Amino acid sequence: MRCPSRRSAVLGMVLLCGSSIAVANYQDPAAAGAQGGGTGGQVIPVDKLHDRLFVLRGGGGNTAVFLGADGVTVVDTKIPGWGQPLIAKIKELTDKPIVRIINSHTHYDHVGGNVDFPPTIDVVAHANTQVNMKRGVPPKGAESRVPPDVFKANGGKNIAKRTFKDTMTIGQGADRIDLYYFGRGHTDGDAWTVFPALRVMHAGDIFSGKLVPLLDTSNGGSGVEIADTLAKAATVANVDRIITGHSSVMTPADLREYADFNRDFLAYVRAAKKAGRSVDEATSGYTFPEKYKGYRAPREDSIRNSVEAIYGELR
Ligand SMILES: [Zn+2]
């Protein structure tokens, strides 16, 4: 019986990452009348950024689909159970073969569909993300609400096969893809994927939206370092648009602002700790600074989790 686990996986993703888009698009497969491996209710809306680049929403993190001369590159594969509908949607967009997955980080709502792709596919990620995929430790603070590890359940199928440390370039000219690692943040393996010919970057969850950051310290995340990491990413040349992990497409100015937001958040938490306040006191005392418009906490416990993570690092 797949529906309950699929449903709990989606709820877990919503709780973890707070994507209102995913909530709006999700229908329980049972309620939608799907049977067995059917894809009823698994709605994947498509945003076309360019003739060769699409954002596929729903079912977890935002997926980028890039059409190159040698085939299709897919950045992130959504929650477990959404690989097949993702592949079906890509086939509606192009006849080209899918040749490559890039995973922005280890979380189940970005890698869950990997196992539905053929075992011959190229899978690229940061070296630390490959380690995290093999370890299969759930995100800090979300342990009770995430699905079972999809790689363990599938004998390690389509864990990252090719890794990089600082940068990696795939292809050339109009097909070129640049991967960057700028340091710890959401995890210790957050990859930034840039399509320079199209001036677009895919950020993953280190920039999931205008949200209090989710700092997954179980997978190397850092609230002390995230602002510096974001600021470095904002200096990448030839980028006009940024595909966020779970929100709308944003700009380098938004990314710079998000780096500032995180720096100010860290300063607040640092000061609270220095003043001897407890995690609860620091949490209840936090208010979003006036200058950051549209920022929010995706969950009730988001601020507390982030405060706690930073207190742990400052110890
Ligand atoms: Zn994540």
Side-chain angles (χ1 to χ4, degrees), residues 52-53 65-74 90 94-101 121 170 174-177 195:
R52 299 196 294 128
L53 183 63
V65 171
F66 179 64
L67 313 186
D70 70 333
V72 180
T73 296
V74 179
I90 293 167
T94 180
D95 294 332
K96 289 176 187 284
I98 303 170
V99 294
R100 182 178 303 108
I101 294 169
I121 197 166
I170 299 167
D175 289 341
R176 179 173 166 143
I177 301 170
F195 308 100

Side-chain angles (χ1 to χ4, degrees), residues 3 43 52 88 93 112 114 116 157 162 187 249 268 281 283:
C3 296
V43 179
R52 299 196 294 128
L93 300 172
N114 279 30
D116 295 332
K157 185 184 178 190
R162 234 165 19 118
T187 68
V249 174
Y268 168 81
E281 287 165 346
T283 301

Side-chain angles (χ1 to χ4, degrees), residues 64-107:
V65 171
F66 179 64
L67 313 186
D70 70 333
V72 180
T73 296
V74 179
V75 186
D76 286 351
T77 61
K78 307 194 177 296
I79 57 175
W82 282 66
Q84 287 303 344
L86 178 59
I87 292 166
K89 184 58 76 174
I90 293 167
K91 284 188 173 155
E92 289 176 21
L93 300 172
T94 180
D95 294 332
K96 289 176 187 284
I98 303 170
V99 294
R100 182 178 303 108
I101 294 169
I102 296 170
N103 288 123
S104 63
H105 65 297
T106 192
H107 287 157

Side-chain angles (χ1 to χ4, degrees), residues 16-17 105-110 139 186-187 190 205-206 214 246:
L16 174 62
C17 294
H105 65 297
T106 192
H107 287 157
Y108 70 98
D109 53 331
H110 298 257
H186 182 60
T187 68
D190 301 302
D205 279 358
I206 191 165
L214 191 149
H246 287 266

Side-chain angles (χ1 to χ4, degrees), residues 154-237:
N154 286 272
K157 185 184 178 190
N158 289 340
I159 281 180
K161 300 164 186 174
R162 234 165 19 118
T163 64
F164 72 101
K165 203 161 164 271
D166 299 315
T167 61
M168 177 189 267
T169 293
I170 299 167
Q172 53 185 320
D175 289 341
R176 179 173 166 143
I177 301 170
D178 291 327
L179 298 176
Y180 296 91
Y181 178 71
F182 292 114
R184 297 161 65 204
H186 182 60
T187 68
D188 63 0
D190 301 302
W192 302 79
T193 303
V194 178
F195 308 100
L198 308 185
R199 305 181 66 88
V200 177
M201 172 189 263
H202 181 285
D205 279 358
I206 191 165
F207 186 26
S208 70
K210 297 192 175 185
L211 307 170
V212 171
L214 191 149
L215 305 167
D216 178 8
T217 51
S218 295
N219 284 288
S222 171
V224 170
E225 295 180 27
I226 190 170
D228 290 342
T229 302
L230 292 163
K232 283 180 203 157
T235 67
V236 175

Side-chain angles (χ1 to χ4, degrees), residues 20 35 40 49 60 64 98 102 122 124 179-180 200 202 211 224 238 244 255 257 259-260 276 281 290 293-294 297 313:
S20 57
Q35 298 294 325
L49 299 193
I98 303 170
I102 296 170
D122 189 18
V124 182
L179 298 176
Y180 296 91
V200 177
H202 181 285
L211 307 170
V224 170
N238 302 317
T244 57
L255 178 55
E257 181 190 72
D260 292 343
E281 287 165 346
E290 187 66 27
K293 305 279 182 229
E313 285 184 84

